[in-house]
Amino acid sequence: MTATEAPPAAPASPPPGPPDPPVRKASARKRLVPYWLLLPGILWLLVFFALPMVYQASTSVQTGSLEEGFQVTWHFATYWDALQEYYPQFVRSLLYAGTATALCLLLGYPLAYLLAFKAGRWRHLLLVLVIAPFFTSFLIRTLAWKTILADGGPVVGVLNSLHVLDVTSWLGWTEGSRVLATPMAVVCGLTYNFLPFMILPLCTSLERVDGRLHEAAGDLYARPWTTFRKVTFPLSMPGVVSGTLLTFIPASGDYVNAELLGSTDTKMVGSVIQTQFLRVLDYPTAAALSFILMAVVLVTVTLYIRRAGTEDLV
Amino acid sequence: MRLLRRNLVVIAGLGTLAYLILPNIVVMVFSFNRPKGRFNYSWQTFSLDAWKDPCGAADLCGSLSLSLRIAAWATLGATVLGTMIAFALVRYRFRARGAVNSLIFLPMAMPEVVMAASLLTLFLNLGARLGFWTVLIAHIMFCLSFVVTAVKARVMSMDPRLEEAARDLYAGPVQTFVRVTLPIAAPGIAAGALLAFALSFDDFIITNFNAGSTVTFPMYVWGSAQRGTPVQINVIGTAMFALAVLLVVGGQLVGNRRRKSAAR
């Protein structure tokens, strides 16, 4: 902004005496300012974010072994083989991430609403309580879920006596009278870990909603639920969209919850990539898997943004 | 019953809050446990042992100080680079602005495993030795976008006329920047730096791929989930939580007092 406004302002401040050249020189140097500002950071991202993607692309079409070395042979079949072997993990990842995102929205909305409209002077305290758990390492907190959901623990006991576990076992979410090492535990952990990423954007967009609109809706004889459905919720859409993205994307690639709270039957694609890369050392398969994950996430997200239709994201 | 229905939102909201806080309470309670065996998952007896000797578990404090060092350097790097980018994006019109914006956005829209794996392929291809430096490079990379976003939000709401006023009062470019621009942008830069520190300190996935045999605090916790969790991990988790609450509440009190004295 300043750069485009500067030229007309510049001749005004110095006395009319000085000749043209120095002014032009200064403005030429000024035009380079943004590039100098960008250079180090962008270079960092190009070298350590974009270039690695290129390397990974080339790795995914290599064949060979660790002993003999890998060569680029344009072996695209790796993608097909990887997909065929690991599609259960892909489907599971998307399913778990989608469920966790929906649960985050369901659980997060009331709290965001509470923070934005009802908290009053308790607002700051509640906000602190939302953010403060962050400061305990998320791995420690995820391990705490092992204690909470433990086999003989109070949570399992209560769910069992209410016969909830019978229903969830029938649905395949739990097994017998256990919660730990089942899909339910993994989804519970994912929901817990990414909930704040849903609450904070929801809260910011709800705060922008004018409270007088609620009064207006009430004056027009709208019941509270109708007011919410027709006024509040549509106006909070930007928060809903960025919240769901901030939960879905990291959740789909996460393997911490699946590894700590799940079993071999609940492995997500992140675990597979990690194992292939760090233990099996099958780099082409790992690279292909992570490219497929990236593509799936990008396509899902693009379709979702197009459908939800918000521009003010980036 | 009617009271219950009228306050449904409040009750549901507080329920969610309880869900968020519950693990922290468990971590706190189990920091006073004396576990039987290697794992600290079930309650045995009350004990202050772990609090008296927080560094008692082997290598725990070493990994903690390594994480703090990495987080400090990553914060410095990401904040400096990110602030420069944010200023360039908000204050100047130039070619390739759209491309720069998407390059900033992409790391935030990418599952962490994908970035972690691709960065590792780069390091493997270059034959870099994995350790402190590769972790630091990775952390600066993924913190950068978040700093840019935080600083951008603040700089965008800044009134450019304040800087023009400073120039009209014969402040040089450096003086204008140091005395006017920087203080106004400071809250955004501080927010970005805080975010970068938290992200770097807590990162597991990217670190796990690129650390080699270096052990940061999250990696120590991860390893302990397999080997046996020392109670000291809960002590450190509790201390971090308490410190954060104290800092925020303290900051709030100072802010209130300042606002009150300003009103007077």
Side-chain angles (χ1 to χ4, degrees), chain A residues 77-94:
Chain A
T78 312
Y79 280 86
W80 181 240
D81 296 342
L83 202 56
Q84 221 163 20
E85 194 173 349
Y86 297 111
Y87 83 87
Q89 281 86 341
F90 268 108
V91 173
R92 203 178 287 142
S93 296
L94 297 178

Side-chain angles (χ1 to χ4, degrees), chain A residues 1-5 30-31 33-38 40-42 44-53 55-56 58-59 62 106-111 113-114 118 124-126 128-130 132-148 150 155 187-193 195-197 199 245-246 249-250 252-256 259-260 269-270 273-274 277-279 283 286-287 290-291 293-294 297-298 305 313-314, chain B residues 6-10 12-14 16-17 19-24 26-27 30 40-42 81 84-85 87-96 100-115 117-126 136-138 140-142 144-146 152 160 163-164 167 194 198-199 201-205 208-209 217-219 221-222 224-226 229 233-234 236-238 240-241 244-245 248-249 252:
Chain A
M1 225 177 266
T2 348
T4 47
E5 283 161 15
K30 222 174 207 172
R31 226 173 294 139
V33 168
Y35 296 106
W36 285 117
L37 283 173
L38 288 171
I42 293 304
W44 200 281
L45 283 181
L46 283 176
V47 175
F48 298 119
F49 175 75
L51 187 64
M53 294 291 164
Y55 268 97
Q56 194 168 33
S58 99
T59 305
Q62 286 174 351
L106 217 62
L107 291 173
Y109 210 105
L111 184 52
Y113 194 92
L114 177 69
K118 305 240 164 171
H124 275 296
L125 179 71
L126 291 182
V128 169
L129 289 177
V130 170
F134 258 123
F135 286 85
T136 302
S137 174
F138 84 102
L139 284 167
I140 300 182
R141 285 179 286 131
T142 309
L143 283 178
W145 279 104
K146 267 189 132 132
T147 306
I148 299 169
V155 174
V187 171
C188 170
L190 284 171
T191 309
Y192 168 76
N193 265 314
L195 194 51
F197 298 100
I199 292 171
L245 291 182
L246 282 174
I249 297 172
S252 63
D254 180 83
Y255 59 86
V256 172
E259 290 275 312
L260 291 183
V269 69
I273 297 175
Q274 192 241 16
F277 231 120
L278 301 179
R279 276 194 234 135
Y283 299 134
S290 83
F291 257 110
L293 174 65
M294 184 173 91
V297 167
L298 283 182
I305 292 178
L313 264 176
V314 187
Chain B
R6 193 171 299 162
N7 291 316
L8 201 61
V9 179
V10 178
L14 291 177
T16 306
L17 198 61
Y19 178 59
L20 274 177
I21 304 280
L22 182 65
N24 283 75
V26 170
V27 169
F30 276 76
N40 185 21
Y41 294 144
S42 61
L81 299 181
M84 284 163 70
I85 294 178
F87 267 95
L89 282 174
V90 178
R91 286 304 174 77
Y92 299 92
R93 293 282 165 276
F94 52 88
R95 258 181 285 166
V100 169
N101 262 324
S102 7
L103 188 62
I104 302 291
F105 177 70
L106 270 175
M108 295 191 286
M110 193 75 65
E112 247 186 297
V113 204
V114 177
M115 280 196 280
S118 64
L119 202 54
L120 180 58
T121 45
L122 174 82
F123 289 142
L124 288 175
N125 275 297
L126 298 181
L136 183 59
I137 283 171
I140 292 178
M141 183 273 287
F142 77 79
L144 195 52
S145 305
F146 291 93
K152 230 171 90 176
E163 286 158 313
E164 279 166 37
R167 273 196 296 272
L194 203 66
L199 286 172
F201 185 78
D202 212 19
D203 179 75
F204 172 70
I205 294 180
N208 188 31
F209 271 79
F217 181 64
M219 288 178 69
V221 178
W222 175 263
S224 80
Q226 269 99 44
T229 38
I233 282 180
N234 290 48
I236 286 163
T238 310
M240 275 153 64
F241 180 67
V245 173
V248 176
V249 173
Q252 206 67 50

